[in-house]
Amino acid sequence: MFIAIDLDNTFADYTAAFKDCLDQLGYHDYMDAPDPADYSFACDGWFRDEHTFPPLHRRAVELGLYLRERPYEGASDVVCGLARTHRIMFATSRGDDGVDTTRWMRVYGFDAAGYGLRHVADKTGLDADLTVEDNPATLDRLMDLGMRVLVRRHAYNLPQCERAEHAGLGFAFDDWTQVPALAALIDLEGEPMNPITPLGKEERDYVE
């Protein structure tokens, strides 16, 4: 099985690294901020609107944001185990990382382990058998095409967690130690457990 794994807030903790950068920039009030309830960080405990995040993200990248991200507890060991029987690729939509992602891969030994790395905006084009992801928009695009997913649960993607499980297209998880068993269930099925016809935009709007 070909498994594509997202990096930021899926395999590695973007939010913790971002907080660290904000603290270095003098924004000390965010160290205890909750898991953001909106992907844009425009939510309680974070920013007033969606325009605040982009410039702070850019400044954080200049401070080495991506190099500061640490894999979630257990994630490295789980992926190492999956790689024994599956093809693994890290897939990221980062467009501002320069060589930092490659350096990060080297620091953690992922390049030596033979995991692939792709920078790709549209992950549906990878045609992976399973995509591990957190981004709500990406998850919706994948599921619209009936593609199978594992959703790293966050406060901002709870609707996608519910959709994946109700549509029979995958599962949500909170801890990477859950991933091998969930991936095995998907691999065992070979096809989505309850294939559905993707909803058109008007139909999705009506349902929502």
Side-chain angles (χ1 to χ4, degrees):
M1 183 164 67
F2 170 28
I3 304 175
I5 302 174
D6 174 60
L7 292 177
D8 298 326
N9 271 353
T10 298
F11 180 81
D13 195 339
Y14 172 96
T15 302
F18 185 49
K19 288 180 179 181
D20 187 49
C21 291
L22 289 176
D23 191 56
Q24 185 174 340
L25 289 167
Y27 298 95
H28 306 301
D29 294 337
Y30 296 105
M31 291 305 292
D32 296 322
D35 191 32
D38 191 277
Y39 194 72
S40 70
F41 285 76
C43 54
D44 288 345
W46 283 94
F47 305 137
R48 183 178 308 171
D49 56 50
E50 65 273 14
H51 304 297
T52 306
F53 170 73
L56 289 175
H57 166 82
R58 287 192 292 270
R59 293 179 68 185
V61 170
E62 293 170 359
L63 292 176
L65 169 67
Y66 297 129
L67 293 171
R68 301 184 192 213
E69 288 190 35
R70 295 183 178 180
Y72 284 111
E73 184 175 357
S76 297
D77 290 340
V78 166
V79 170
C80 181
L82 290 172
R84 296 190 182 102
T85 52
H86 303 291
R87 177 189 170 199
I88 300 296
M89 175 182 288
F90 286 124
T92 179
S93 59
R94 295 172 180 173
D96 57 358
D97 55 339
V99 298
D100 283 357
T101 303
T102 302
R103 291 174 61 195
W104 180 87
M105 292 273 290
R106 191 176 302 123
V107 166
Y108 283 99
F110 299 139
D111 57 338
Y115 308 147
L117 171 65
R118 282 282 302 276
H119 286 73
V120 57
D122 182 5
K123 295 179 184 178
T124 65
L126 294 173
D127 200 26
D129 298 302
L130 173 63
T131 303
V132 190
E133 178 66 58
D134 74 301
N135 184 317
T138 299
L139 287 163
D140 280 334
R141 284 195 296 271
L142 290 163
M143 289 189 284
D144 283 348
L145 295 175
M147 303 179 79
R148 293 172 293 172
V149 298
L150 289 181
V151 185
R152 173 59 170 86
R153 193 190 324 267
H154 289 281
Y156 54 73
N157 63 19
L158 297 181
Q160 287 72 31
C161 294
E162 184 175 357
R163 180 183 177 188
E165 296 185 348
H166 281 217
L169 292 170
F171 304 97
F173 69 96
D174 301 287
D175 189 300
W176 267 88
T177 59
Q178 299 171 279
V179 168
L182 297 177
L185 284 174
I186 291 175
D187 193 27
L188 184 63
E189 292 292 336
E191 295 293 340
M193 290 166 285
N194 182 26
I196 60 171
T197 302
L199 296 178
K201 182 180 185 305
E202 290 123 342
E203 292 168 298
R204 287 202 306 274
D205 290 343
Y206 176 78
V207 170
E208 293 169 358

